[in-house]
Amino acid sequence: MFAAARRGALLVVLLVGLAACQVDIEVGIGFNEDGSGLVKVDVALDQEAVALAPDITSVLLVDDIEDPASGWSYNDPRIDGQGRTRFSASKPFGSPEQLESVLAEIFGSGEVFRDFTFERATSFAQTDYRVTGVVDLSNGLDLFTDPQLTERLGGEPLGQPIPNLEDALAGVAVRLVLDLPVGAEQEETLELGQGAVSIEMTAQEESGTAVTLRWVAWAAFALLGLSVLIAVAGFLLDRRNRSRSIDPTVPQEPLVRSTSTAAAQPPARRLRLVVLNPLGVLFEPPDEPSQLLADFASERGSEVDAETVEQIYHQAVLGRITPAELWAGLGLEDDPAELTEQYLDQYTVRSGARDFVAEMTRRELPVACLTNDIASWSSALRDRLQITGVDTWIVSSEVGVCMPAPGIYEALRRTTAVPYENTLLVDVRAGHLDAANALGMSTALLAESQPPDGDAPGHAVVTSFSDFFRRRSRS
């Protein structure tokens, strides 16, 4: 994208913008749980900056700059709410090691962003994340010096003479934004010419299940201590009464002791909410959406591999990139709205789904949907396939966390105010159900067929919606 021999379109934007009154340069690094993620560079130019280079849009669109083999995805220039012209590009990385090479392409040097590390440590009740690195902008103007680019712009660094380029660059800030999987974000603002700055960010995610178990353990320990105290008190009281002299002619007050050892029975679990994952339960096919997307893109000429598709899709369902940025990342240049329409055309309503939701409504049992999806896509699917009767929709891109992370289940609990133990989750993916079951939910796996004997998935297995009612009639 920004190799020294040809920095590309975004570098031209930087040069022009730095000579203007206002420029906003942001380098965002979003991490996934495994250390992969997405680098996004965003530049906003005010009207004066654009006036200095009116042909900047045509420069952006030349073929030798937008090279699909580079792995960078470019967005068309757009006007934001402040009237500025924005340019952006993004590129995924598969590991912290790959991150360094992607960052090196921004300024054509591996010295600006270096020594970046990503650490993830999991303990009983929490997961700790830590990111470190160094940003060095001490080269100042040299970061933007490129003889080939200057020649291309008519012999002037910006395509026109500027008396004092150093003064024009003074005070320009570069903003680095780090985004960790738990939704934590940290921003560092740096100035051109500033020396090496060490960057460090930490974040922590607590496991809802582990925290609950820890409190249960403390409660059990307290109850054990209380039972020991009661037993000791009873023993001492019995011993004292035995030692007392008793006159048989005097009526004695009986010693009353509680001999009941029956534990209080927990209240019966009562189903108060049915939760469905619409992608697979309400809508077919039940395939993994990222694989469905990879096949769709490949049929339209995309050369992006399946692993990269999954990474880009994950960023989209977390709400970190827009659908237009997703399609651009897949290398598809057709109209984003048309691509979305064609992709969603693959889904149909599963047989019996509407009747099942209607029957739950008749029984006054609320239905909610919990899904890893892009909010606009989810809304379009329910409208076009006419799914009604669902009280609540929890979509990952709106809450910033995906199944099977505990946070999305907690968002469901808080929104519906229904405890986990009174909730049934129906899904086609056992991993989602495992996490829900650990929180205390009842679970059901909707499968094509019953598993072989001895190969139970740890959840109730149903093969159609009618199975739910047959099971209830037997109980």
Side-chain angles (χ1 to χ4, degrees):
M1 173 184 176
F2 302 106
R6 182 167 53 211
R7 300 291 177 83
L10 195 50
L11 182 54
V12 176
V13 175
L14 290 175
L15 286 171
V16 174
L18 294 174
C21 295
Q22 179 183 353
V23 60
D24 186 5
I25 309 168
E26 180 178 300
V27 178
I29 309 174
F31 290 92
N32 300 321
E33 294 180 356
D34 60 357
S36 63
L38 187 74
V39 172
K40 184 175 180 180
V41 182
D42 187 271
V43 179
L45 305 177
D46 63 7
Q47 295 179 0
E48 184 177 356
V50 176
L52 288 173
D55 296 329
I56 189 64
T57 300
S58 62
V59 174
L60 275 168
L61 300 179
V62 296
D63 293 338
D64 62 344
I65 292 176
E66 290 194 285
D67 180 7
S70 71
W72 286 89
S73 300
Y74 292 81
N75 292 324
D76 292 336
R78 62 192 185 280
I79 306 298
D80 64 13
Q82 302 178 33
R84 300 178 300 177
T85 300
R86 303 189 72 95
F87 304 86
S88 63
S90 60
K91 182 174 181 177
F93 58 91
S95 67
E97 292 75 17
Q98 291 183 13
L99 169 62
E100 293 234 351
S101 63
V102 174
L103 291 173
E105 296 175 14
I106 297 177
F107 291 106
S109 169
E111 295 300 314
V112 178
F113 300 96
R114 63 178 185 268
D115 301 331
F116 271 76
T117 66
F118 174 87
E119 300 173 11
R120 178 177 182 266
T122 302
S123 60
F124 172 72
Q126 66 191 33
T127 301
D128 294 296
Y129 296 93
R130 180 171 180 264
V131 173
T132 61
V134 174
V135 181
D136 187 352
L137 299 177
S138 57
N139 285 338
L141 177 62
D142 290 341
L143 294 174
F144 307 100
T145 302
D146 188 335
Q148 293 188 26
L149 184 61
T150 300
E151 181 181 355
R152 183 176 179 178
L153 294 175
E156 297 291 345
L158 304 181
Q160 57 179 293
I162 291 182
N164 193 335
L165 190 56
E166 290 285 357
D167 291 341
L169 291 170
V172 174
V174 176
R175 190 164 64 252
L176 174 66
V177 179
L178 300 177
D179 188 6
L180 290 181
V182 296
E185 188 173 280
Q186 177 173 309
E187 180 179 309
E188 297 283 349
T189 300
L190 309 161
E191 293 184 359
L192 290 177
Q194 184 175 356
V197 176
S198 296
I199 305 296
E200 180 177 4
M201 178 182 181
T202 60
Q204 188 178 89
E205 180 180 38
E206 285 196 332
S207 166
T209 302
V211 172
T212 301
L213 291 176
R214 185 167 58 191
W215 280 107
V216 169
W218 277 108
F221 180 78
L223 289 174
L224 176 61
L226 181 61
S227 65
V228 171
L229 288 175
I230 293 174
V232 171
F235 172 77
L236 294 176
L237 182 61
D238 185 56
R239 183 176 180 180
R240 187 189 69 176
N241 282 314
R242 287 182 181 181
S243 65
R244 292 172 59 185
S245 176
I246 301 177
D247 185 350
T249 64
V250 179
Q252 302 293 316
E253 288 293 331
L255 179 62
V256 179
R257 295 191 191 134
S258 175
T259 58
S260 174
T261 58
Q265 297 297 317
R269 294 175 63 139
R270 182 172 66 88
L271 183 61
R272 293 172 50 194
L273 177 68
V274 175
V275 183
L276 311 175
N277 182 353
L279 298 181
V281 176
L282 291 180
F283 308 136
E284 293 183 313
D287 301 356
E288 187 67 36
S290 61
Q291 184 58 53
L292 196 66
L293 184 62
D295 294 341
F296 176 85
S298 177
E299 291 171 359
R300 283 155 180 78
S302 172
E303 298 180 356
V304 178
D305 60 86
E307 182 179 354
T308 303
V309 172
E310 184 175 1
Q311 293 172 1
I312 295 174
Y313 179 73
H314 184 67
Q315 294 295 316
V317 298
L318 283 174
R320 295 174 180 171
I321 62 174
T322 65
E325 291 171 327
L326 177 146
W327 293 122
L330 299 181
L332 300 180
E333 299 179 353
D334 293 341
D335 179 66
E338 293 181 3
L339 288 169
T340 298
E341 287 285 330
Q342 295 168 9
Y343 174 74
L344 296 181
D345 280 341
Q346 300 177 101
Y347 283 100
T348 58
V349 178
R350 180 186 281 268
S351 175
R354 293 194 181 95
D355 292 339
F356 176 81
V357 175
E359 179 61 18
M360 293 298 99
T361 301
R362 189 187 70 79
R363 298 187 184 204
E364 298 183 349
L365 190 59
V367 177
C369 279
L370 185 67
T371 181
N372 294 344
D373 202 356
I374 301 169
S376 60
W377 291 12
S378 178
S379 177
L381 269 178
R382 70 187 84 154
D383 289 342
R384 68 195 295 157
L385 299 181
Q386 299 181 1
I387 290 294
T388 59
V390 177
D391 298 275
T392 303
W393 289 80
I394 303 295
V395 184
S396 62
S397 69
E398 293 180 327
V399 298
V401 62
C402 292
M403 292 186 285
I408 193 168
Y409 302 101
E410 180 62 14
L412 170 72
R413 187 192 66 79
R414 292 183 180 182
T415 302
T416 62
V418 177
Y420 291 132
E421 58 267 22
N422 300 122
T423 301
L424 168 67
L425 174 63
V426 185
D427 205 323
V428 295
R429 294 168 185 83
H432 298 172
L433 298 174
D434 292 341
N437 191 258
L439 293 171
M441 292 187 193
S442 299
T443 51
L445 178 66
L446 184 57
E448 296 300 319
S449 61
Q450 289 289 339
D453 294 339
D455 193 22
H459 310 281
V461 178
V462 294
T463 58
S464 67
F465 288 108
S466 59
D467 285 355
F468 289 97
F469 306 111
R470 284 199 290 268
R471 285 172 180 269
R472 289 180 63 87
S473 65
R474 295 192 191 107
S475 58

